[in-house]
């Protein structure tokens, strides 16, 4: 949020910070040109409340909303609501988020495009705790990860070493994902270890232009949360880099 405020200031654009009761003294609140309260401390009553955020935009006369990261930043319904309110959503359009912001939809999109994906299930685990079939689990393999379909940042993730661990871990993962993203949808994916976490950054605009900005080395992590990101990666050779960019 602070980087967004600084970028707006450099461009001569007025910035409006939003905050919950937990962040009333936050630095981003002090640095922005204006600040709007959007609710109580629990995220469900503030940062996950589409209505509260849009109300704050209306009160302040904002013309655009930057979603930041986490919470609603990859929520297609939020992007659509922003667009429907006549505001600019600073990020991918709702249709793109619907296809990629949901990790399950992203898996299906990647598979349909011929991009290699990690072995796993492309459907959500059932809310009643019913486990996948033996054949499905065999295709996934162990160790495996329970992952939140609606978010990232290590939230809603649990490592499981055998089938007996899935039930208890699923309840914990679902609860954490619901609290962090407002969506408790969980799926199962093979854990690749040891491995390097390499990301390729893409930047596109509404005119159909697409640029590859290079790769990031994100392997230094704690609890599946990236701590250090480095570019370019010292482990990626020119041949691997080109293959990543081409795919």
């Amino acid at each position: 949020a602070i980087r967004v405020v600084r970028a707006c200031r450099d461009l001569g654009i007025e910035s409006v910070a939003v905050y919950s009761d937990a962040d009333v003294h936050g630095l981003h609140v002090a640095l922005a040109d204006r600040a709007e309260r959007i609710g109580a401390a629990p995220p469900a009553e503030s940062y996950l409340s589409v209505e509260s955020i849009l109300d704050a935009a209306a009160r302040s006369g904002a013309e655009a909303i930057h979603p930041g990261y986490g919470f609603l930043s990859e929520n297609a319904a939020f992007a659509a609501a922003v667009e429907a309110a006549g505001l600019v959503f600073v990020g991918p359009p709702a249709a793109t988020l619907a296809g990629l912001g949901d990790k399950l939809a992203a898996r299906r999109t990647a598979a349909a495009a011929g991009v290699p994906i990690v072995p796993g299930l492309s459907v959500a685990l059932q809310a009643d705790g019913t486990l996948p079939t033996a054949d499905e689990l065999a295709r996934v393999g162990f160790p495996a990860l329970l992952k939140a379909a609606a978010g990232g940042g290590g939230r809603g993730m649990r490592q499981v070493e055998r089938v007996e661990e899935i039930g208890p871990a699923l309840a914990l993962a679902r609860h954490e994902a619901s609290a962090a993203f407002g969506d408790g949808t969980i799926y199962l994916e093979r854990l690749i270890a040891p491995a390097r976490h390499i990301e390729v950054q893409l930047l596109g605009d509404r005119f159909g232009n697409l640029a590859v900005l290079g790769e990031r080395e994100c392997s230094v992590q704690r609890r599946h949360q990236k701590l250090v990101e480095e570019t370019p990666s010292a482990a990626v050779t020119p041949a691997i880099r080109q293959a990543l960019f081409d795919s």
Side-chain angles (χ1 to χ4, degrees), residues 91-113:
T96 300
L97 286 176
L100 297 177
D102 182 305
K103 303 302 184 295
L104 277 171
R107 279 182 60 86
R108 293 190 286 265
T109 299

Side-chain angles (χ1 to χ4, degrees), residues 26-74:
L27 183 57
H28 73 294
V29 175
L31 291 180
D33 296 299
R34 178 171 173 171
E36 293 283 347
R37 178 184 178 273
I38 55 172
E45 300 177 31
S46 50
Y47 298 116
L48 289 173
S49 172
V50 174
E51 181 180 359
S52 295
I53 294 171
L54 291 180
D55 284 347
R59 290 195 303 270
S60 63
E63 299 175 55
I65 292 181
H66 191 298
Y69 75 94
F71 294 120
L72 295 172
S73 63
E74 298 181 23

Side-chain angles (χ1 to χ4, degrees), residues 147 194-200 215-221 224-226 228-230 233 236:
K147 302 179 70 173
R196 286 186 176 272
H197 183 136
I198 306 294
E199 297 182 356
V200 175
E215 86 280 357
R216 298 191 301 188
E217 170 69 70
C218 309
S219 299
V220 179
Q221 302 184 8
H224 307 293
Q225 171 66 59
K226 293 172 286 188
V228 176
E229 299 185 15
E230 180 183 6
S233 169
V236 174

Side-chain angles (χ1 to χ4, degrees), residues 8-232:
C8 287
R9 185 170 299 162
D10 289 344
L11 294 169
I13 298 172
E14 183 180 358
S15 60
V16 181
V18 296
Y19 64 92
S20 74
D21 290 345
D23 299 317
V24 63
H25 299 299
L27 183 57
H28 73 294
V29 175
L31 291 180
D33 296 299
R34 178 171 173 171
E36 293 283 347
R37 178 184 178 273
I38 55 172
E45 300 177 31
S46 50
Y47 298 116
L48 289 173
S49 172
V50 174
E51 181 180 359
S52 295
I53 294 171
L54 291 180
D55 284 347
R59 290 195 303 270
S60 63
E63 299 175 55
I65 292 181
H66 191 298
Y69 75 94
F71 294 120
L72 295 172
S73 63
E74 298 181 23
N75 187 301
F78 176 55
V82 171
E83 295 167 4
L87 304 172
V88 173
F89 182 77
V90 185
T96 300
L97 286 176
L100 297 177
D102 182 305
K103 303 302 184 295
L104 277 171
R107 279 182 60 86
R108 293 190 286 265
T109 299
V115 177
I117 61 175
V118 174
L121 302 180
S122 293
V123 294
L125 295 177
Q126 296 185 38
D128 64 3
T130 301
L131 298 182
T133 67
D135 287 344
E136 289 173 329
L137 290 174
R139 288 197 296 271
V140 176
F142 286 96
L145 276 177
L146 293 168
K147 302 179 70 173
R155 308 302 297 274
M157 295 178 68
R158 289 291 187 279
Q159 180 175 336
V160 290
E161 301 290 338
R162 55 187 184 275
V163 64
E164 292 80 10
E165 297 178 5
I166 295 178
L170 177 58
L172 293 172
R174 198 183 303 281
H175 175 77
E176 187 176 56
S178 296
F181 312 116
D183 185 339
T185 303
I186 302 293
Y187 68 102
L188 190 67
E189 190 173 84
R190 173 88 59 82
L191 172 64
I192 306 299
R196 286 186 176 272
H197 183 136
I198 306 294
E199 297 182 356
V200 175
Q201 301 300 117
L202 305 175
L203 181 64
D205 63 20
R206 57 182 174 177
F207 304 107
N209 300 306
L210 185 67
V212 181
L213 302 182
E215 86 280 357
R216 298 191 301 188
E217 170 69 70
C218 309
S219 299
V220 179
Q221 302 184 8
R222 179 176 179 267
R223 297 178 181 173
H224 307 293
Q225 171 66 59
K226 293 172 286 188
L227 297 179
V228 176
E229 299 185 15
E230 180 183 6
T231 185

